[in-house]
Amino acid sequence: MITHSSHLWRHDDNRIPHFMDSNMIRLSAPFTFKPNYVFAKSHNFDFHSQRKSLGFKLENSKARNAAVFDDSAYEAERLRLDAKARESMAETSKRETHSGSEDDPKAWKWIIRKRIWDLMEARNIAQNPRPVHHRIPNFVGAALAAKNLGELNEFLVAGCVKVNPDSPQKQVRFLTLSGGKKLLTPQPRLRTGFFSVLESGMLSPSTINEACTSVGVAKYGKPIGLDEKIKVDLIVIGSVAVDPKTGARLGKGEGFAELEYGMLRYMGAIDDSTPVVTSVHDCQLVDDIPVEKLLIHDVAVDIICTPTQVIFTNTTIPKPQGIYWDKLSPDKLGQIRILRELKSRIERETGQKLPCGPSEKLPPTARSRR
């Protein structure tokens, strides 16, 4: 919703608004403007440089000036960026497994991931979007796994639930909103911002289902920043593979669950006692994730929900305590604005420069040798 304020201006005027109301939707995704009018207050705001990054287009109406979210434009760009990211992950997996596990400590993760992705496709356990490779795989029975999760006491007593934005957890997001809880969900790959908050009171019964999709989150969610005072009672994350005996988990290989967890720790929204749950198909349960090879920022799970069972792992794997900057590559840092903001803030507050991890990309000479 665009908030009304003191100055009315036409976008084809040569004037630039001096203020954008803080209550306006603050989305950053590829959208087009088709406005005749915009309401604005006085503040330094460069409309011409921002018009392409705002997530809605404005259309003139005789009754009122309304912000109309461009669903198709948002979804088209999201799919384009997702395809680009999966292509990059495929290249990374080839690079990190090419020389064998002795040369690359992350090669074993890609071997397990590929085995699960291949199995789900071969047995037709996978659901759209397909192929499931380089995704948190959607699976047959995802709604049953969500039902089991929704019956957990940890879920029932939670007031705010953080849920990943992937397809197999869509029903978990629906149960969260329809149950009157606050839903905290990351914007896809953190590329357009940080987290969005949704509450059932912000939605009508007819829009709750849509609000559980990536487009719906961008359309109806309230973006929050690092200074938001919020308490998260339960974390739900997607997985490619998980060990029911240890709680060790593998995601799709981009590390976003770990980054989101670390940032929530920084915000004081979670602590060691906050339960971490994942919903997966039974075929995603494995017994060959070596705990000793996990990294300090890897997030283990306390509870696993499948279509047929609920498993309490009683994991002893320590929870990450924040962002481990010496493990974070400059490539990842360059992709995620909120991480750069957090790093700059900590450096200003401490007066010390934070370390940076090694690049994810091999130099050309290393590639040729391999």
Side-chain angles (χ1 to χ4, degrees), residues 303-339:
I303 308 172
I304 304 168
C305 296
T306 79
T308 66
Q309 58 186 319
V310 173
I311 303 166
F312 292 82
T313 68
N314 298 311
T315 184
T316 58
I317 300 171
K319 295 289 199 309
Q321 299 300 299
I323 300 290
Y324 296 93
W325 300 100
D326 59 328
K327 309 294 183 186
L328 185 64
S329 73
D331 314 86
K332 185 70 73 179
L333 191 64
Q335 294 170 8
I336 305 173
R337 176 182 54 80
I338 193 73
L339 271 180

Side-chain angles (χ1 to χ4, degrees), residues 235 237 247-249 255-276 294-302 315-325 327:
I235 292 176
I237 56 178
R249 164 202 169 270
F256 285 104
E258 288 75 19
L259 292 173
E260 293 156 10
Y261 187 95
M263 284 187 280
L264 288 173
R265 287 297 294 247
Y266 170 83
M267 295 168 67
I270 60 173
D271 55 32
D272 283 344
S273 67
T274 308
V276 179
L294 293 177
L295 301 175
I296 192 171
H297 58 264
D298 286 329
V299 179
V301 301
D302 301 290
T315 184
T316 58
I317 300 171
K319 295 289 199 309
Q321 299 300 299
I323 300 290
Y324 296 93
W325 300 100
K327 309 294 183 186

Side-chain angles (χ1 to χ4, degrees), residues 28 65 109 113 120 172 192 195 205 216 266 278 281 317 324 334:
S28 177
N65 294 299
K109 291 185 176 183
R113 289 181 185 115
M120 296 183 78
V172 179
T192 61
F195 286 98
Y266 170 83
T278 191
H281 192 274
I317 300 171
Y324 296 93

Side-chain angles (χ1 to χ4, degrees), residues 31-44:
F31 301 116
T32 55
F33 269 88
K34 249 175 132 178
N36 282 328
Y37 298 97
V38 177
F39 286 102
K41 287 182 181 177
S42 285
H43 190 61
N44 293 326

